[in-house]
Amino acid sequence: MLAPPWLSLSLSLSLSLSLSLSLVAPAGGAPGGALSFLALGDWGGLPEPPFVTPRQVATAAAMGRAAAELGGDFVLALGDNFYYEGVKDEWDPRFQDTFERVFVSPGLRGVPWFVMAGNHDHAGNVTAQLRYSRHSPRWRFPHPYYSLRLHLPGSNVSARLLVLDSVLLCGHSDDFGSGPGSGPGPAGPRDAAAAAAHLGWLRAQLEAAAGDAFVLVAGHYPVWSVAKHGPTACLVRLLRPLLRRHRVSAYLCGHDHNLQYLEEGGVSYVLSGAGNFMEESRPHERSVPPGALRFFFGSPESPGGFAHVRLEPHGATVTFLESTGRVLHRVTLPPRRL
């Protein structure tokens, strides 16, 4: 798999796979010192023809425009990549029908996607999604969880992005069924030892990130959400204390089908789950800390949306964009005090 000429990857294998990325801004790209990515969750089309939704198609086109205009060094795919039961194997036609033939805008050509699995992906074959990395030059899914070290071009500033498997940590959640995991939250990890190893890896990665100006953690399930699924009790218990203790800049997620921004305990929470469906209900407004919710958008008439993150030495700017191109909300996070 060939990387774009401005992207270099070095791999080191330990308990899990850790990636180190060094980005040098391409000619005509963002000004020196800036690195940008798009964050998109719950974008996975449909299991029957035409295998996409109008909202997914509109969002894909808007992402291409945003990458061209605002910068887009990579895409962070926040899970539920293929509705409703993931893929069967690494040759599943859904990779073509729901991904390769949809995200075709010029602004997305050659842009790598760093992928995680959501609960609908875990309903199928996640190993097949890992193996598809061997078939596509832009699909990067090296391990169920992994670390990206980001170097802001033209500066000595670094950031770290930790990509989690929140289903492995907390268990499966069935949005539509009536069995285990179909209630208010995940039913608990299927493999307790694997979940404990994942959590141990995360603790070690957060310790190693002490010198990074920005630390971003991403998983499919939300820690906090006011929408249909609400807070994930498992993550509130296990992850929230680590995010606060290590002064994590932001936690990015999907799962609920809308756009949200919350702040609590010095941590920003970016929910971007509007790539395929939109839901405007807010049944869990009283389930999040008072004053935490700063922005919410879930209009069912909307053609979808996503988040754009721009990292610069002086701050990380998070912009929520509707697929019309309209800016819905913007906030700038300061670098961590080292």
Side-chain angles (χ1 to χ4, degrees), residues 23-36 68-73 151-155 310-314:
L23 299 186
V24 180
L35 183 154
S36 299
E69 295 168 9
L70 303 177
D73 294 303
H151 297 276
L152 277 58
S155 76
R310 180 182 175 91
L311 300 175
E312 299 175 274
H314 61 80

Side-chain angles (χ1 to χ4, degrees), residues 1 89-91 95 125-136 139 141:
M1 182 190 309
D89 55 42
E90 62 194 282
W91 298 278
F95 286 111
N125 187 343
V126 172
T127 301
Q129 293 198 36
L130 296 171
R131 289 176 176 168
Y132 186 68
S133 300
R134 303 182 298 195
H135 300 277
S136 173
W139 184 271
F141 197 175

